[in-house]
C-alpha cells in the first residue's frame, strides 16, 4: 500500500465521531448548518427537509392510526422537535399511498393505482367524474399536489363542506408536480373533499399525488417521502425524484433505503447505481445524510453489512453524512432485547423510533 493510500485509509477511518456510528458529518452538512444558523439568528421562511425511505421511515408499527405513524415514527418525532425549536409549519407532504395499514385518505368511485409518477413510483389516477378523495388536516390551508400534463382532468375541492373550487390540471407540454393551494382558513382541524371533474373530456385523468397542510411562516417543513416496501430502484423511476426531492428543493435530504434491498437481495452494483442517483439529486439542492437502518431477523447470502458499506463509500465519495443505526443497534436480537422492536421481522416500536430520532437529532442539532 502506497503512502497516499495509507493516509487515505487512516483519514477514512478517523472521519467518524467517537461512537463509531456516524461518519463524515463535519464538512458535509454546510447547507443544513447554515439553515440552522439563519433560523437561530431570526431569518424568516420555510425550509424543507425530505426523508426518503421504506416502511420504517413511513412510521409503520409506531401506532394504531395514520396520525400515530406521522407523529410517533422517527420522522414525526424529528418533525416535532424541529417544530418546537424553530416553528410549526405543518406535517409536510402526505402522499396518496400513506399509509398501507391506516390510510390518511378515503376514496370513493374508481381510482387506479398507477406506477408512473410519485413517491416510490406510485400515484392514484381517476377519469371517473364524481370520484372523491377525502383527507383531514390541520392548518390554515392545504396544497393539493397533482401531476399536470396534456391528458389531465380538472377537479373541485370543498373544505369543511364549503363551496367547491375548481382547478384544471391540464397542461399542454409540462409533466411535473404542481400544487394548487387553498388558504385563509382558521388554524385548526379541517376536512377536504377532492372530486374528479373531467367535464367534456371523459378520457382525461386526475393524477393525484397527495397534499400538504399549510401552517406557519417560519420553520422547517419535514416531508415523509417514504413508501412501504420501497427499494432504492423504486425511487429513481421516471419522474419520481421530481416529487421526492426536486419539487421541495430541500436544504437536507435523509435517505434510508437499506432494509428492503437487503431482504430482496438486490445486486450491489444495481443498488449502488440507484443510491448514487438519489444522492446526486439531493446534493443539487443541499446537504444529504444517508441512514443505514432496518435490521431484519433473517440471514441472507449478501449480508446487510455489504449494503451498509455501499452507503458508506457513496457518502464518502459524494460529500454526504453517513449514520449507521444498524451498527448502533448491533443486531436484531440486541435491538429486541433493548425493547426497540415491534415485530419479529424488522419494524421498530415507539421506543425504537424514538432512539432513531435521538440518533438523528444528536447529529443534526449537534447536541451530542
Amino acid at each position: 500500500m502506497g503512502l497516499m493510500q495509507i493516509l487515505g485509509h487512516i483519514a477514512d477511518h478517523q472521519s467518524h465521531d467517537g461512537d463509531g456510528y456516524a461518519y463524515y458529518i463535519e464538512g458535509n452538512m454546510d447547507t443544513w448548518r447554515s439553515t440552522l444558523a439563519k433560523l437561530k439568528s431570526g431569518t424568516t421562511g420555510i425550509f424543507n427537509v425530505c426523508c426518503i425511505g421504506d416502511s420504517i421511515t413511513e412510521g409503520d408499527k409506531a401506532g394504531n392510526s395514520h396520525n400515530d405513524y406521522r407523529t410517533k415514527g422517527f420522522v414525526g418525532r424529528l418533525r416535532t422537535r424541529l417544530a418546537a425549536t424553530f416553528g410549526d409549519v405543518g406535517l409536510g407532504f402526505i402522499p396518496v399511498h400513506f399509509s398501507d395499514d391506516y390510510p390518511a385518505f378515503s376514496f370513493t368511485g374508481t381510482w387506479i393505482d398507477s406506477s408512473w409518477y410519485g413517491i416510490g413510483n406510485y400515484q392514484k389516477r381517476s377519469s371517473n367524474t364524481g370520484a372523491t378523495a377525502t383527507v383531514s388536516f390541520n392548518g390554515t390551508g392545504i396544497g393539493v399536489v397533482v401531476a399536470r400534463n396534456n391528458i389531465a382532468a380538472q377537479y373541485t375541492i370543498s373544505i369543511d363542506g364549503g363551496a367547491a373550487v375548481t382547478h384544471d390540471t391540464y397542461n399542454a407540454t409540462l409533466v411535473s408536480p404542481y400544487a394548487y393551494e387553498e388558504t385563509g382558513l382558521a388554524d385548526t382541524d379541517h376536512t377536504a373533499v377532492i372530486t374528479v371533474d373531467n367535464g367534456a373530456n371523459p378520457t382525461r385523468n386526475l393524477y393525484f399525488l397527495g397534499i400538504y397542510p399549510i401552517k406557519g411562516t417560519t420553520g422547517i417543513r419535514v416531508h415523509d417521502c417514504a413508501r412501504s416496501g420501497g427499494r432504492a430502484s423504486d425511487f429513481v423511476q421516471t419522474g419520481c425524484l421530481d416529487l421526492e426531492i426536486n419539487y421541495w428543493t430541500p436544504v437536507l435530504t435523509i435517505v434510508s433505503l437499506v432494509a428492503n434491498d437487503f431482504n430482496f437481495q438486490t445486486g450491489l452494483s444495481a443498488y449502488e447505481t440507484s443510491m448514487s442517483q438519489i444522492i446526486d439529486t439531493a446534493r443539487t439542492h443541499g446537504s444529504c445524510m444517508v441512514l443505514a437502518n432496518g435490521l431484519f431477523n433473517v440471514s441472507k447470502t449478501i449480508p446487510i453489512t455489504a449494503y451498509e458499506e455501499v452507503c458508506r463509500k457513496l457518502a464518502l465519495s459524494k460529500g454526504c453524512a453517513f449514520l449507521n443505526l444498524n451498527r448502533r443497534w448491533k443486531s436484531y436480537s440486541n435491538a429486541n432485547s433493548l425493547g426497540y422492536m415491534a415485530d419479529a421481522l424488522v419494524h421498530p416500536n415507539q421506543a425504537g423510533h424514538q432512539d432513531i430520532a435521538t440518533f438523528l437529532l444528536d447529529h443534526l442539532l449537534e447536541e451530542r
Side-chain angles (χ1 to χ4, degrees), residues 70 75-84 90-92 222-224:
R70 294 199 68 80
V75 174
R77 292 171 187 272
L78 173 64
R79 182 191 298 114
T80 297
R81 175 59 189 279
L82 294 175
L91 280 178
V222 181
H223 303 284
D224 194 336

Side-chain angles (χ1 to χ4, degrees), residues 87-109:
D88 186 359
V89 287
L91 280 178
F93 184 63
I94 305 174
V96 289
H97 63 264
F98 181 87
S99 66
D100 285 351
D101 294 335
Y102 302 101
F105 296 86
S106 59
F107 294 92
T108 69

Side-chain angles (χ1 to χ4, degrees), residues 129-163:
T129 291
T132 66
T134 301
V135 63
S136 297
F137 65 97
N138 178 276
T140 59
I142 183 175
V144 177
V145 186
V146 300
R148 295 197 300 176
N149 57 52
N150 60 5
I151 53 172
Q154 64 185 28
Y155 73 89
T156 65
I157 180 170
S158 173
I159 300 175
D160 300 331

Side-chain angles (χ1 to χ4, degrees), residues 295-297 329-341:
L295 288 169
F296 266 90
N297 189 23
W329 283 7
K330 298 182 178 66
S331 65
Y332 173 90
S333 61
N334 185 64
N336 193 44
S337 70
L338 291 170
Y340 289 161
M341 306 309 295

Side-chain angles (χ1 to χ4, degrees), residues 48-51 75 79 91-93 212 221-225 248:
N48 292 297
V49 169
C50 292
C51 300
V75 174
R79 182 191 298 114
L91 280 178
F93 184 63
Y212 59 90
R221 184 182 284 158
V222 181
H223 303 284
D224 194 336
C225 300
W248 311 106

Side-chain angles (χ1 to χ4, degrees), residues 11 24 45 50 56 59 62 81 87 95 105 109 122 166 169 176 183 192 215 225 251 272 292-293 320 327 329 345 356:
Y24 325 126
C50 292
I56 300 172
R81 175 59 189 279
F105 296 86
Y122 184 92
T166 300
T169 70
S176 69
T183 58
K215 185 181 179 75
C225 300
V251 297
E272 180 177 356
N293 69 354
C320 299
R327 183 171 176 180
W329 283 7
L345 184 63
I356 300 171

